[in-house]
Amino acid sequence: MTPSPLQTFEPDARAIPFADEGEGPVLVLLPGRGLGIASLGTLAHVLEEEGFRVVRVGVRRSSEEGLTLHDLARDVVDVLDALSIESAFVGGHGFGGALARTIALDEPDRAEGVLLLGVESAEPVSDDAEQALRAAFEEEQPLEAMRMLAGESVDPAFAWSVFSHVRDVHAEPVQRAAIANTPVQEWSPLAPSLPALILQGSDDRVTVPANGDALQASAADRASAARIDGGGYLFILTHPGEIGMQVEDYLAWD
């Protein structure tokens, strides 16, 4: 496999980063808080090897006031239009999952289902988790933060070596503003009728497993949930193989 180079889609000067890799049924992946699409690169590689076409879409470069999740959802759909993709299974990590839910609610004909890698909640994270998130983006070598964000079973030095290369300092303020400007009821529910796969790291202290349990219970007839043992908030970086196996088994696209 030759990795697809990162590209930029620039309608109306929005500068939306994306990557399009592989052939097969389409899975869209959206990054978490303060992370670029490189954070989903290894997972995308795993899924491509299993026969998926994976489109990773990042957050526009923007200082526009009043930006909402609906605007960012439109960005993703515009990228799919540019790639001539009519519909796809749409997923994301943390914040990216909130955006995936918004796409499914706003454009149900474009979403075949939703994949949530850690469930973002309207409830604030714990003080220690918030402190760890801030340290991860502000400190030069935040190993203590990595212990909380990656999980106790993961070497914090390894977690930092990966995390430090996938941070996106431009994305976090856009993501923060978009979710603050969007009423909770407009992004938090699962779209009617669409299936959902909810994967949670068992040791996640940010998008805690209880968030996924509650969301799965709200749509038990069409939402499935599973744990990634030993995974923390950054399980997309540390456990991509286990995530890939769960996704492949659920979608049965092999």
Side-chain angles (χ1 to χ4, degrees):
M1 182 204 74
T2 301
S4 172
L6 302 187
Q7 302 177 65
T8 303
F9 182 58
E10 300 187 83
D12 308 317
R14 282 177 279 169
I16 306 161
F18 75 97
D20 179 15
E21 302 161 291
E23 297 180 358
V26 183
L27 177 60
V28 175
L29 294 179
L30 311 171
R33 172 177 170 176
L35 298 173
I37 60 175
S39 66
L40 298 162
T42 302
L43 176 58
H45 172 80
V46 169
L47 292 168
E48 182 187 353
E49 290 293 312
E50 297 299 334
F52 293 80
R53 178 182 179 184
V54 182
V55 179
R56 293 176 280 149
V57 184
V59 175
R60 68 165 79 174
R61 298 296 182 259
S62 174
S63 57
E64 178 183 344
E65 292 186 6
L67 196 70
T68 70
L69 284 173
H70 303 293
D71 297 313
L72 299 185
R74 186 70 248 172
D75 288 350
V76 176
V77 172
D78 285 349
V79 171
L80 297 183
D81 285 343
L83 296 173
S84 300
I85 296 171
E86 293 185 1
S87 64
F89 216 91
V90 183
H93 169 228
F95 170 88
L99 182 54
R101 281 180 273 173
T102 307
I103 295 167
L105 289 163
D106 288 358
E107 304 272 359
D109 291 341
R110 308 302 296 271
E112 297 170 5
V114 175
L115 168 65
L116 302 179
L117 305 173
V119 172
E120 187 89 358
S121 170
E123 298 298 320
V125 301
S126 66
D127 290 343
D128 54 353
E130 183 62 38
Q131 183 177 355
L133 284 167
R134 286 199 302 269
F137 290 102
E138 295 172 3
E139 294 183 9
E140 291 188 8
Q141 197 171 16
L143 296 186
E144 286 302 318
M146 289 297 103
R147 287 189 177 89
M148 172 168 286
L149 298 179
E152 292 293 336
S153 65
V154 177
D155 177 6
F158 165 74
W160 170 245
S161 70
V162 178
F163 178 81
S164 62
H165 290 94
V166 299
R167 295 184 298 180
D168 185 345
V169 296
H170 301 288
E172 199 277 337
V174 176
Q175 294 166 319
R176 183 176 65 249
I179 206 163
N181 292 334
T182 310
V184 172
Q185 66 271 20
E186 295 181 10
W187 64 264
S188 60
L190 290 171
S193 302
L194 292 178
L197 174 61
I198 300 167
L199 299 180
Q200 293 277 170
S202 63
D203 298 339
D204 190 341
R205 303 279 295 278
V206 179
T207 52
V208 296
N211 293 351
D213 294 342
L215 190 63
Q216 192 274 334
S218 74
D221 60 321
R222 53 198 169 82
S224 300
R227 296 277 200 277
I228 302 297
D229 188 46
Y233 172 65
L234 297 177
F235 73 137
I236 55 154
L237 303 178
T238 61
H239 294 69
E242 292 91 327
I243 294 172
M245 289 177 59
Q246 290 282 350
V247 174
E248 182 192 7
D249 288 348
Y250 176 79
L251 293 175
W253 284 346
D254 55 346

